[in-house]
Amino acid sequence: MERTELNTLGEFGLIDRIHSKFTTQNHETIKGIGDDAAVIDVGDKYMLISTDMLLEGIHFDLSYTPLRHLGYKAVAVNVSDIAAMNGIAKHITVSIGLSNRISVEAIDELYEGIRFACEDYKVDLVGGDTSASHSGFVISITATGFVEKDKITYRNGAKPNDILCVTGDLGAAYFGLQILEREKQVYLANPEMQPELQEKEFLVGKLLKPEARTDIIHELNELGVVPTSMIDISDGLASELMHLCTQSGVGAIVFEDKLPIEDQTMLTATEFNISPITAALNGGEDYQLLFTVKQADFEKIKNLSDVLPIGYMTDSKAIELALTSGGTTAIKAQGWNHLEK
């Protein structure tokens, strides 16, 4: 039999390949594979379902990831997927794979973080599973939530001239990872050395304990604004924008000087000799929301303190960055490919 290597497809190519082999069997299934969450018709509302798996050595390193933070993050990234459909998460299940090097006290720490996240996002832990693992620690969470049928937001609804918006700031989590990896190497070379993180707490915190932007969903709802498309930023702004454009059949212009980058991110970019724009576009793990709104609706949201317009959608297929120096350059997705880690 002919053998095809996984890295020739990439993560999204593999997902598309799997998707192409299945058709829906039940009329309640409104949306399956291909968005941030599946959409199920349950009567007067849509139920949203999302699953994320985190693997030791791929998504986290226990040498610098506190288990309490890991538990919190595992919940937050799933809540973020529900938010990206304009919904609110309500329930989670947690499944874990454990090796014998994980103690009972360590599991207590993990679930303490999960409990904090459940309290913060007002979700209920309603089940899960445990299993032995011979290849490290594995945590998989499934989240369910709900959204009004007339407020559901997919990736494929953007139209030319829609305003492209993003929440929060970008690139900080990427530099948080760079800092922790650097300090790990320093420690391995000399275990007597203590990590120097006092001035980097903002960046490290963005990586270890991201927050799902459910606050923005509530604010949009209060203003009566339903985004025309939306996605959460897990693999980098460029990658997520490409999903919106491809599925909506539009292009986009992003203004370089509008990308929200915090001062500490800028300073650390200089320290690592890495472009902050590159980190903002491709860093990943920001878990902010990228969405589009009609021009008429932008007037309603322009005063939201943590929502920033960064560009607009076009009727071409080009996805471009308008440079501060003048001219444009193509935006190419270079974010995380989980099959190549």
Side-chain angles (χ1 to χ4, degrees), residues 65-295:
T65 305
L67 284 166
R68 187 174 298 198
H69 285 57
L70 177 62
Y72 192 100
K73 180 176 182 176
V75 176
V77 301
N78 280 274
V79 170
S80 182
D81 280 335
I82 301 298
M85 306 294 290
N86 207 28
I88 298 296
K90 295 293 184 181
H91 307 95
I92 61 166
T93 62
V94 178
S95 296
I96 52 177
L98 305 168
S99 68
N100 57 13
R101 66 185 174 86
I102 303 294
S103 68
V104 172
E105 290 76 15
I107 298 305
D108 286 344
E109 278 291 293
L110 176 77
Y111 275 88
E112 188 71 356
I114 291 172
R115 184 177 67 82
F116 283 137
C118 287
E119 291 177 354
D120 283 353
Y121 297 115
K122 295 180 172 56
V123 299
D124 295 330
L125 172 61
V126 295
D129 191 21
T130 59
S131 175
S133 170
H134 296 296
S135 57
F137 189 25
V138 180
I139 177 169
S140 178
I141 291 185
T142 296
T144 65
F146 296 92
V147 61
E148 301 290 340
K149 289 185 175 181
D150 60 349
K151 295 178 180 177
I152 182 73
T153 302
Y154 299 102
R155 297 176 180 178
N156 62 4
K159 298 291 190 294
N161 300 317
D162 282 354
I163 306 298
L164 180 66
C165 300
V166 70
T167 63
D169 64 280
L170 303 173
Y174 172 79
F175 285 111
L177 176 61
Q178 303 312 305
I179 291 163
L180 289 171
E181 286 289 348
R182 180 183 66 186
E183 295 303 313
K184 176 183 177 180
Q185 294 307 313
V186 170
Y187 174 80
L188 291 175
N190 181 5
E192 299 299 319
M193 294 292 290
Q194 293 298 311
E196 298 180 3
L197 302 176
Q198 292 83 356
E199 297 181 359
K200 306 295 186 181
E201 289 181 1
F202 170 76
L203 302 177
V204 171
K206 286 283 189 175
L207 175 73
L208 296 181
K209 189 175 175 288
E211 298 288 350
R213 299 313 305 267
T214 55
D215 57 324
I216 300 298
I217 302 305
H218 288 298
E219 290 178 347
L220 292 175
N221 187 53
E222 290 171 2
L223 293 169
V225 173
V226 177
T228 54
S229 68
M230 184 154 53
I231 190 171
D232 81 328
I233 302 175
S234 57
D235 294 318
L237 175 68
S239 178
E240 315 304 1
L241 179 57
M242 192 162 291
H243 286 312
L244 292 188
C245 289
T246 300
Q247 295 195 28
S248 297
V250 297
I253 293 286
V254 175
F255 297 102
E256 179 184 11
D257 61 352
K258 297 296 184 182
L259 292 174
I261 304 173
E262 289 289 335
D263 290 345
Q264 191 170 139
T265 304
M266 288 284 197
L267 291 171
T268 307
T270 301
E271 181 182 337
F272 279 90
N273 196 27
I274 296 173
S275 165
I277 301 300
T278 299
L281 289 174
N282 301 300
E285 298 222 54
D286 292 306
Y287 296 104
Q288 299 293 342
L289 294 174
L290 179 69
F291 64 95
T292 55
V293 294
K294 300 174 184 176
Q295 290 197 26

Side-chain angles (χ1 to χ4, degrees), residues 328-339:
T328 61
T329 185
I331 293 177
K332 298 179 180 179
Q334 300 172 18
W336 302 112
N337 183 344
H338 304 300
L339 298 178

Side-chain angles (χ1 to χ4, degrees), residues 294-300:
K294 300 174 184 176
Q295 290 197 26
D297 281 338
F298 181 69
E299 286 297 312
K300 301 176 184 177

